[in-house]
Amino acid sequence: MSESKRIRDFGIVIGKMKPGKMNCLTDVPGVKVAHVTVSDGPVQTGVTAIMPRADNVYRHKVMGAVDVINGFGKSIGLMQVEELGTIETPILLTNTLSVGLAADALVEYMLQENPEIGTVTGTVNPLVCECNDGYLNDIRGRHVTRVHVLEAIERAKSAASCDPGETGAAIQPEAVSEGSVGAGAGMSCYHLKGGIGTASRIMEVSESIQEGEKNPSSSAFTLGVLVLTNFGKRRDLIIDGKKIGPEVTSLEKMDRQALMQDAPEKGSVIIVMGMNLPVSERQLKRIARRAVVGLVRTGSYLGTGSGDVVLAFSTANGTPHFDEAGFNTWQVLNEDKMDIPFRAAAEATEEAVLNSLAAAAYCQGRDGHYRVALKDYLERILPSLKH
């Protein structure tokens, strides 16, 4: 984790559910995240890589689902996830004009890892999602390279995850840097500096009462969210139910940045949601859809020019690529328990968005464009948030 503060460090606690140990997507066992940041004056961009599981995800696919809240986006690979309900590669996040290059590099990585692809078996579905960082970044220069993409994947691959070790003891997961890192280096959120944010929630699911038992037993599962935030208008910002946007705006001098508050929203947000809860792909899609609740709680109204996409996965019900069984047996959550992950998805998404703002730093990019950081105002607006 970077040393930058998160929203809880300011005394702001979102929701009622308990977060995971690191309050990150990497609290989900086996999930890993890494960034490569490309930051040099007018170049403010990068790549974020997410490994949905610790081993080979092509040979051991995870359950996947997509919810396109608003489809103003240029992602690659979502169509097959929607159709088949599985994910078979790492997930990459980057800027809009680097999607094709990132997909090509990801295919290269998958071919190296899986010599059977395209020979004794089918091809591969690379997953790359994007937001437009062109306000701060020289996006036309296409400064993300194949080397950056492969480095991000390798960093994620070698990161520690919270899978139990050989002794059965839990391994400390590697926390996720937030704010102006990786794909988030040049992103804006609510006309402030945005970027990468993450959060998690523990889901306690009670089991049926066995004969002779007085109380039902329960099992704990983890849902984690990572967001790439590049959306919203400053005057709409809400923190923990308080409409704080107008107050933040009033604290800034009336320069050209402040005068843009009535400009149309043309940003985006990518939400990657992972969990180890046993669910079907249909249930997973329903859970993914609840991320929109978290977005709205921060002030988003899902503008027409905003590409808002949720990509969700569950590590509980895998699909072996070379499985020759006629039938697979999966465990799925009782429909009566779905409110538990629904709330977890909403809370984790809301907090992840706020973490992306709280952790981000002031940034000046191309042509003198800049974004101020929410943290530069939080100390002054805390009295409003606590009343």
Side-chain angles (χ1 to χ4, degrees), residues 173-202:
E174 190 159 319
V176 180
S177 295
E178 299 173 284
S180 307
V181 294
M187 301 299 173
S188 305
C189 188
Y190 291 110
H191 287 156
L192 299 162
K193 186 64 187 73
I196 297 291
T198 186
S200 67
R201 292 295 184 268
I202 302 298

Side-chain angles (χ1 to χ4, degrees), residues 46-50 91-95 128-129 183 196 226 228 270 272:
V47 184
T48 295
I50 302 163
I91 300 163
L92 298 182
L93 308 179
T94 190
N95 74 65
V128 185
C129 295
I196 297 291
L226 182 142
L228 177 63
I270 301 298
V272 180

